[in-house]
Amino acid sequence: MADGPYRYQQPGAGPYFYHSQPSNQHHPRHLARSGSPTSNSRAPYTNETPSPSRSPVSQASHNPYGMFGQTHQQSQHMMMNGGSGHQRYLQASIANKFQQPNPQQQHHGQPQQLHHHPHQQQNHVGGHQTLGHQHTFSSGTLPNVTPHFTPTHLHSSTPSNNQTALGEAVSEHWQQQLHLANEVRAAASTPHHHCRKEGVSRVSKGPVESSPEHSPRAGDEEERNRATTTGEIRRQDWDAMDLSGQGLRALSPSLFCHYMFLGKLFIDNNRLTSLHPSLGQLRSLTHLDASNNQLMEVPEEIGMLVNLTSLLLFHNKITTLPNEIGYLFKLEMLGVEGNPLDEDLLEEIVRRGSKALVTHLRENTPARPPPNERDWHVLDETDASETLSVLTYNILCERYATPKLYGYTPSDILAWDYRKNLILNEIRVHDADIVCLQEVDQESYHEYFRRELAYQDYRGVFSPKPRAKTMADREAKFVDGCATFFKSSKYICLDKHVIDFANMAINRPDMKGEHDTFNRVMPRDQIAVVTFFENRATGSRLVVANVHIHWDPAYKDVKLVQVAILMEQVSKLADRWAKHPPCTEKTAFQHADLDGEDDVSATRGLQEVLAPSQEYSSGTQIPLLVCGDFNSSASSGVYDLMAQGSVSGKHEDLGNYSYGNFTRDGMSHPFTLKSAYSGTDELSITNYTPDFSAVLDWIWYSSNGLQIRGVLGNVDMDYLSKVPGFPNHHFPSDHLPLRAEFSVKSRKEIKAVEAKFGPPKERRS
């Protein structure tokens, strides 16, 4: 049935289904993550503001409700069966609904004829050529349906005291809503009105293939490192269901569980008294019509439907609205006329419109109870002579946290002053030995995190993205990068290195002449910060790589090349550091300053016993941690390279692009790496937004030098089912922090070097 055309259905024969439209628009999750800078004192940096060609079209040009004054003739929405030119169910179908006359009115009370002569292929209506099946009108034109509203036109079902209180302050939006409410009421006696209005149900001869990926232009600027991953292709021929006018008293929860792909749902003109909370699972819905029922309330789970642009609740018994409607930041029409709604809420929407009411509800949404603490999963309980813990966290820097991208978050919660305190508390609570942060801008690092974490014995190594070098100081301070903090009483930083992927790529002899290197890799300025530590007490050494990989799903090849360069450089650094001389004067490092300023934690809590340095015969013997936001899932080439140690130069993620030896000989690294969560069921998510959730952040460790002991588990799933995305009151970033604990494996062949603690020498540069 999925591949063949549906037969015409008779009235009352069951639900009707509409066609879905081609999935050729950018998925919100794929959009770059900044948009306009946040309006505050730190806003001047606009290096990554979208170009005019990518800026959103003004709202007025897309307003489906702003067409009542049109008097020109328009053609009816038509579909042509089969072929690549199949015309899908239009997003503007609701707009057509307003323009088209009521069938009963058009034909003087008689139902409109929907059947056409089989040979009728083309008609000309109002000068526009239409193909396929179409409605016929007695005049061939659409009448002018522009309403002439005044405050006295409030519907009779609206309490009269509200009419008086509102006076003349009635917005154009409310006038449009009244007109739409009357249209809904006029259709009350017609089962499957919406399907009939669009003609009979049809399907194309081939399935619609939808994928979460988009294909942005290669020249698009990066705004925020937001990733998506390749999802499964979904075969779906329709995305709308019409259950209107069936006298339904209840809807089975299975409707919401099994039809989560629905984009439009019509359940109006029934006898429903409530909506099941499972409604919140239909997160693809853009239009929901529940008018002309007997609803007394709306479930709070309605807030999960953040893609809604139209929510019609006309002519019910609703007295108040849940604050969770404030999450619906895309909502353009909230139809409430005909309900005994609270006067304050009614006045807000009448005077200022649906968006103003949504904003009012969102800004006044109280914090819901916090989720249960994330479980700590113990994987190894054996005693260990040396342990270490690591935390990795993409903190969502201030410049990327814009209302345009996080419109479901109240403005005071999205503000940096609120979020930075939660982030700091999160780091303090976990108290890890090593902390790897991504998306830390220069100002936040120097003026906040570096200073505040010093009181918890942390010192830091930080580098912004290379673009900061080309900017004036007043703009460069807003550029983000990677920051690695470590407990200075436990570790000495022996060396550090920044890997600039673009610079490394264009300077490789085998990649210099490749066009793809210049066009795809070079414009992306992600980095990694690699640090080399020694444990003061045991003398063991450790390499930590903190990385943030490119976000765009259309650049899977770039992600793979970046990680290949990362591991190639880490291998070279590890081999060099294996020959690093023993640290014979550890006390000299207690006053060493990595970032040019005094560190209040440098002189406190030093280990009393300072062991000699351990020696390593090769770089692979040094314990290794690779942490960060890889913007890649477990099904990606990036994961394959990290976990398997090599990938072919013909890996599907590389496509037909050419990257020198990487595509000729393949990519590899010499380490035996495992995901810290590989001993569990893995995390269900590390990134959570309304349109996207996946595991993008990873902690990799060398299994020959480290043994996993425990990991931080998932977020309370019941809590996630009630919040559409992060950030919110309890989670300050759209990413989750990952934490893991390891034991350092002992080495039988360790060669001890006698430490000589003499007077401090000149500090290392």
Side-chain angles (χ1 to χ4, degrees), residues 216-325:
R217 298 185 302 274
D220 285 352
E221 288 188 30
E222 175 194 16
E223 298 173 13
R224 204 278 195 192
N225 298 332
R226 305 188 68 176
T228 71
T229 54
T230 304
E232 295 182 359
I233 294 179
R234 174 168 58 85
R235 295 170 62 91
Q236 185 56 53
D237 297 292
W238 52 274
D239 73 342
M241 181 181 289
D242 185 358
L243 297 173
S244 62
Q246 299 299 296
L248 302 175
R249 297 180 181 273
L251 294 175
S252 170
S254 62
L255 168 66
F256 310 120
C257 299
H258 297 152
Y259 294 89
M260 290 187 289
F261 57 83
L262 286 177
K264 297 177 177 64
L265 178 61
F266 302 93
I267 52 176
D268 53 294
N269 296 302
N270 286 296
R271 300 179 183 178
L272 302 175
T273 58
S274 64
L275 296 175
H276 196 274
S278 298
L279 172 69
Q281 297 184 62
L282 301 182
R283 300 184 71 169
S284 296
L285 277 186
T286 60
H287 180 85
L288 174 61
D289 190 348
S291 304
N292 290 335
N293 280 287
Q294 300 174 23
L295 301 176
M296 303 187 69
E297 63 179 5
V298 179
E300 65 180 27
E301 286 77 10
I302 196 77
M304 300 295 288
L305 311 182
V306 293
N307 288 308
L308 278 179
T309 59
S310 178
L311 173 60
L312 306 184
L313 303 170
F314 297 126
H315 312 307
N316 279 286
K317 301 177 181 180
I318 300 170
T319 58
T320 189
L321 297 171
N323 284 94
E324 286 74 12
I325 284 183

Side-chain angles (χ1 to χ4, degrees), residues 708-728:
I708 186 70
R709 295 180 61 82
V711 292
L712 188 64
N714 281 307
V715 176
D716 182 356
M717 299 306 292
D718 182 63
Y719 175 88
L720 291 180
S721 68
K722 294 181 173 62
V723 294
F726 301 152
N728 64 10

Side-chain angles (χ1 to χ4, degrees), residues 694-706:
V695 176
L696 303 177
D697 306 81
W698 302 90
I699 297 176
W700 297 94
Y701 69 97
S702 56
S703 58
N704 62 315
L706 298 171

Side-chain angles (χ1 to χ4, degrees), residues 29-30 212-213 226-230 551-553 559 631 692 696:
R29 171 65 192 168
H30 303 164
E213 288 204 41
R226 305 188 68 176
T228 71
T229 54
T230 304
W551 64 273
D552 199 327
K559 298 182 188 185
N631 279 320
F692 181 83
L696 303 177

Side-chain angles (χ1 to χ4, degrees), residues 516 654-658:
D516 295 328
L654 292 172
N656 295 321
Y657 300 108
S658 179

Side-chain angles (χ1 to χ4, degrees), residues 93-368:
S93 61
I94 302 174
N96 292 339
K97 174 179 179 179
F98 300 151
Q99 294 178 312
Q100 297 163 3
N102 187 292
Q104 289 131 334
Q105 296 173 352
Q106 181 72 23
H107 295 284
H108 309 289
Q110 297 299 321
Q112 185 178 0
Q113 180 60 255
L114 297 178
H115 299 285
H116 308 281
H117 192 278
H119 298 292
Q120 180 182 1
Q121 296 296 326
Q122 297 187 3
N123 283 305
H124 294 271
V125 180
H128 296 278
Q129 187 180 34
T130 58
L131 302 177
H133 303 283
Q134 56 186 8
H135 297 292
T136 56
F137 294 93
S138 58
S139 63
T141 63
L142 296 176
N144 186 346
V145 294
T146 304
H148 301 283
F149 290 104
T150 66
T152 59
H153 284 76
L154 289 171
H155 196 276
S156 59
S157 61
T158 303
S160 59
N161 60 332
N162 285 332
Q163 299 180 36
T164 304
L166 296 175
E168 297 182 357
V170 179
S171 65
E172 180 181 356
H173 175 87
W174 183 252
Q175 296 173 4
Q176 296 166 358
Q177 181 164 154
L178 293 179
H179 180 81
L180 180 57
N182 289 332
E183 291 254 341
V184 171
R185 169 163 290 207
S189 61
T190 307
H192 300 310
H193 163 76
H194 309 281
C195 187
R196 291 170 178 272
K197 190 171 182 60
E198 294 300 326
V200 293
S201 177
R202 310 172 183 87
V203 297
S204 64
K205 295 183 179 180
V208 177
E209 293 186 354
S210 63
S211 170
E213 288 204 41
H214 73 300
S215 297
R217 298 185 302 274
D220 285 352
E221 288 188 30
E222 175 194 16
E223 298 173 13
R224 204 278 195 192
N225 298 332
R226 305 188 68 176
T228 71
T229 54
T230 304
E232 295 182 359
I233 294 179
R234 174 168 58 85
R235 295 170 62 91
Q236 185 56 53
D237 297 292
W238 52 274
D239 73 342
M241 181 181 289
D242 185 358
L243 297 173
S244 62
Q246 299 299 296
L248 302 175
R249 297 180 181 273
L251 294 175
S252 170
S254 62
L255 168 66
F256 310 120
C257 299
H258 297 152
Y259 294 89
M260 290 187 289
F261 57 83
L262 286 177
K264 297 177 177 64
L265 178 61
F266 302 93
I267 52 176
D268 53 294
N269 296 302
N270 286 296
R271 300 179 183 178
L272 302 175
T273 58
S274 64
L275 296 175
H276 196 274
S278 298
L279 172 69
Q281 297 184 62
L282 301 182
R283 300 184 71 169
S284 296
L285 277 186
T286 60
H287 180 85
L288 174 61
D289 190 348
S291 304
N292 290 335
N293 280 287
Q294 300 174 23
L295 301 176
M296 303 187 69
E297 63 179 5
V298 179
E300 65 180 27
E301 286 77 10
I302 196 77
M304 300 295 288
L305 311 182
V306 293
N307 288 308
L308 278 179
T309 59
S310 178
L311 173 60
L312 306 184
L313 303 170
F314 297 126
H315 312 307
N316 279 286
K317 301 177 181 180
I318 300 170
T319 58
T320 189
L321 297 171
N323 284 94
E324 286 74 12
I325 284 183
Y327 295 148
L328 309 182
F329 66 104
K330 298 179 182 178
L331 199 63
E332 297 176 359
M333 174 59 74
L334 175 59
V336 296
E337 200 278 331
N339 288 279
L341 197 63
D342 175 84
E343 289 188 15
D344 292 337
L345 297 178
L346 181 64
E347 182 175 3
E348 184 74 19
I349 193 171
V350 170
R351 292 180 183 274
R352 302 177 60 192
S354 294
K355 284 189 173 296
L357 179 57
V358 170
T359 300
H360 171 78
L361 293 172
R362 179 173 64 250
E363 297 302 317
N364 291 278
T365 299
R368 64 173 53 255

